[in-house]
mmCIF file with all atom_site columns, all heavy atoms in Angstrom:
data_model
loop_
_atom_site.group_PDB
_atom_site.id
_atom_site.type_symbol
_atom_site.label_atom_id
_atom_site.label_alt_id
_atom_site.label_comp_id
_atom_site.label_asym_id
_atom_site.label_entity_id
_atom_site.label_seq_id
_atom_site.pdbx_PDB_ins_code
_atom_site.Cartn_x
_atom_site.Cartn_y
_atom_site.Cartn_z
_atom_site.occupancy
_atom_site.B_iso_or_equiv
_atom_site.pdbx_formal_charge
_atom_site.auth_seq_id
_atom_site.auth_comp_id
_atom_site.auth_asym_id
_atom_site.auth_atom_id
_atom_site.pdbx_PDB_model_num
ATOM 1  N N   . ILE A 1 87 ? 10.005 -2.731 -8.569  1.00 92.00 ? 87 ILE A N   1
ATOM 2  C CA  . ILE A 1 87 ? 10.848 -1.552 -8.371  1.00 92.00 ? 87 ILE A CA  1
ATOM 3  C C   . ILE A 1 87 ? 10.737 -1.022 -6.945  1.00 92.00 ? 87 ILE A C   1
ATOM 4  O O   . ILE A 1 87 ? 11.705 -0.505 -6.381  1.00 92.00 ? 87 ILE A O   1
ATOM 5  C CB  . ILE A 1 87 ? 10.485 -0.453 -9.397  1.00 92.00 ? 87 ILE A CB  1
ATOM 6  C CG1 . ILE A 1 87 ? 11.557 0.634  -9.373  1.00 92.00 ? 87 ILE A CG1 1
ATOM 7  C CG2 . ILE A 1 87 ? 9.113  0.147  -9.134  1.00 92.00 ? 87 ILE A CG2 1
ATOM 8  C CD1 . ILE A 1 87 ? 11.420 1.639  -10.487 1.00 92.00 ? 87 ILE A CD1 1
ATOM 9  N N   . LEU A 1 88 ? 9.574  -1.167 -6.326  1.00 92.00 ? 88 LEU A N   1
ATOM 10 C CA  . LEU A 1 88 ? 9.383  -0.666 -4.968  1.00 92.00 ? 88 LEU A CA  1
ATOM 11 C C   . LEU A 1 88 ? 9.875  -1.638 -3.912  1.00 92.00 ? 88 LEU A C   1
ATOM 12 O O   . LEU A 1 88 ? 9.882  -1.307 -2.726  1.00 92.00 ? 88 LEU A O   1
ATOM 13 C CB  . LEU A 1 88 ? 7.905  -0.343 -4.726  1.00 92.00 ? 88 LEU A CB  1
ATOM 14 C CG  . LEU A 1 88 ? 7.313  0.748  -5.609  1.00 92.00 ? 88 LEU A CG  1
ATOM 15 C CD1 . LEU A 1 88 ? 5.861  1.007  -5.236  1.00 92.00 ? 88 LEU A CD1 1
ATOM 16 C CD2 . LEU A 1 88 ? 8.121  2.038  -5.528  1.00 92.00 ? 88 LEU A CD2 1
ATOM 17 N N   . GLN A 1 89 ? 10.290 -2.807 -4.337  1.00 90.00 ? 89 GLN A N   1
ATOM 18 C CA  . GLN A 1 89 ? 10.827 -3.795 -3.407  1.00 90.00 ? 89 GLN A CA  1
ATOM 19 C C   . GLN A 1 89 ? 12.346 -3.709 -3.319  1.00 90.00 ? 89 GLN A C   1
ATOM 20 O O   . GLN A 1 89 ? 12.982 -4.410 -2.533  1.00 90.00 ? 89 GLN A O   1
ATOM 21 C CB  . GLN A 1 89 ? 10.395 -5.199 -3.841  1.00 90.00 ? 89 GLN A CB  1
ATOM 22 C CG  . GLN A 1 89 ? 8.888  -5.395 -3.815  1.00 90.00 ? 89 GLN A CG  1
ATOM 23 C CD  . GLN A 1 89 ? 8.442  -6.670 -4.507  1.00 90.00 ? 89 GLN A CD  1
ATOM 24 O OE1 . GLN A 1 89 ? 9.263  -7.509 -4.876  1.00 90.00 ? 89 GLN A OE1 1
ATOM 25 N NE2 . GLN A 1 89 ? 7.144  -6.825 -4.701  1.00 90.00 ? 89 GLN A NE2 1
ATOM 26 N N   . SER A 1 90 ? 12.935 -2.845 -4.144  1.00 88.00 ? 90 SER A N   1
ATOM 27 C CA  . SER A 1 90 ? 14.389 -2.702 -4.172  1.00 88.00 ? 90 SER A CA  1
ATOM 28 C C   . SER A 1 90 ? 14.854 -1.763 -3.074  1.00 88.00 ? 90 SER A C   1
ATOM 29 O O   . SER A 1 90 ? 14.180 -0.797 -2.722  1.00 88.00 ? 90 SER A O   1
ATOM 30 C CB  . SER A 1 90 ? 14.832 -2.157 -5.535  1.00 88.00 ? 90 SER A CB  1
ATOM 31 O OG  . SER A 1 90 ? 16.213 -1.856 -5.535  1.00 88.00 ? 90 SER A OG  1
ATOM 32 N N   . SER A 1 91 ? 16.014 -2.037 -2.522  1.00 91.00 ? 91 SER A N   1
ATOM 33 C CA  . SER A 1 91 ? 16.608 -1.165 -1.509  1.00 91.00 ? 91 SER A CA  1
ATOM 34 C C   . SER A 1 91 ? 17.684 -0.273 -2.125  1.00 91.00 ? 91 SER A C   1
ATOM 35 O O   . SER A 1 91 ? 18.430 0.399  -1.414  1.00 91.00 ? 91 SER A O   1
ATOM 36 C CB  . SER A 1 91 ? 17.228 -2.006 -0.384  1.00 91.00 ? 91 SER A CB  1
ATOM 37 O OG  . SER A 1 91 ? 18.213 -2.887 -0.911  1.00 91.00 ? 91 SER A OG  1
ATOM 38 N N   . TYR A 1 92 ? 17.739 -0.259 -3.464  1.00 94.00 ? 92 TYR A N   1
ATOM 39 C CA  . TYR A 1 92 ? 18.743 0.531  -4.180  1.00 94.00 ? 92 TYR A CA  1
ATOM 40 C C   . TYR A 1 92 ? 18.032 1.413  -5.190  1.00 94.00 ? 92 TYR A C   1
ATOM 41 O O   . TYR A 1 92 ? 17.011 1.018  -5.772  1.00 94.00 ? 92 TYR A O   1
ATOM 42 C CB  . TYR A 1 92 ? 19.740 -0.393 -4.879  1.00 94.00 ? 92 TYR A CB  1
ATOM 43 C CG  . TYR A 1 92 ? 20.993 0.289  -5.357  1.00 94.00 ? 92 TYR A CG  1
ATOM 44 C CD1 . TYR A 1 92 ? 21.967 0.707  -4.445  1.00 94.00 ? 92 TYR A CD1 1
ATOM 45 C CD2 . TYR A 1 92 ? 21.203 0.519  -6.716  1.00 94.00 ? 92 TYR A CD2 1
ATOM 46 C CE1 . TYR A 1 92 ? 23.120 1.339  -4.878  1.00 94.00 ? 92 TYR A CE1 1
ATOM 47 C CE2 . TYR A 1 92 ? 22.361 1.147  -7.153  1.00 94.00 ? 92 TYR A CE2 1
ATOM 48 C CZ  . TYR A 1 92 ? 23.316 1.563  -6.233  1.00 94.00 ? 92 TYR A CZ  1
ATOM 49 O OH  . TYR A 1 92 ? 24.454 2.195  -6.666  1.00 94.00 ? 92 TYR A OH  1
ATOM 50 N N   . TYR A 1 93 ? 18.579 2.588  -5.441  1.00 96.00 ? 93 TYR A N   1
ATOM 51 C CA  . TYR A 1 93 ? 17.918 3.534  -6.333  1.00 96.00 ? 93 TYR A CA  1
ATOM 52 C C   . TYR A 1 93 ? 17.842 3.003  -7.771  1.00 96.00 ? 93 TYR A C   1
ATOM 53 O O   . TYR A 1 93 ? 18.629 2.153  -8.182  1.00 96.00 ? 93 TYR A O   1
ATOM 54 C CB  . TYR A 1 93 ? 18.613 4.898  -6.295  1.00 96.00 ? 93 TYR A CB  1
ATOM 55 C CG  . TYR A 1 93 ? 19.866 5.001  -7.160  1.00 96.00 ? 93 TYR A CG  1
ATOM 56 C CD1 . TYR A 1 93 ? 19.780 5.328  -8.517  1.00 96.00 ? 93 TYR A CD1 1
ATOM 57 C CD2 . TYR A 1 93 ? 21.131 4.797  -6.624  1.00 96.00 ? 93 TYR A CD2 1
ATOM 58 C CE1 . TYR A 1 93 ? 20.911 5.436  -9.305  1.00 96.00 ? 93 TYR A CE1 1
ATOM 59 C CE2 . TYR A 1 93 ? 22.276 4.902  -7.405  1.00 96.00 ? 93 TYR A CE2 1
ATOM 60 C CZ  . TYR A 1 93 ? 22.155 5.227  -8.749  1.00 96.00 ? 93 TYR A CZ  1
ATOM 61 O OH  . TYR A 1 93 ? 23.272 5.322  -9.536  1.00 96.00 ? 93 TYR A OH  1
ATOM 62 N N   . MET A 1 94 ? 16.894 3.528  -8.535  1.00 95.00 ? 94 MET A N   1
ATOM 63 C CA  . MET A 1 94 ? 16.730 3.144  -9.933  1.00 95.00 ? 94 MET A CA  1
ATOM 64 C C   . MET A 1 94 ? 16.582 4.408  -10.763 1.00 95.00 ? 94 MET A C   1
ATOM 65 O O   . MET A 1 94 ? 15.830 5.313  -10.413 1.00 95.00 ? 94 MET A O   1
ATOM 66 C CB  . MET A 1 94 ? 15.492 2.261  -10.112 1.00 95.00 ? 94 MET A CB  1
ATOM 67 C CG  . MET A 1 94 ? 15.172 1.905  -11.562 1.00 95.00 ? 94 MET A CG  1
ATOM 68 S SD  . MET A 1 94 ? 16.438 0.858  -12.329 1.00 95.00 ? 94 MET A SD  1
ATOM 69 C CE  . MET A 1 94 ? 16.178 -0.669 -11.417 1.00 95.00 ? 94 MET A CE  1
#
Side-chain angles (χ1 to χ4, degrees):
I87 192 171
L88 298 182
Q89 297 168 9
S90 173
S91 58
Y92 194 73
Y93 81 86
M94 175 66 69

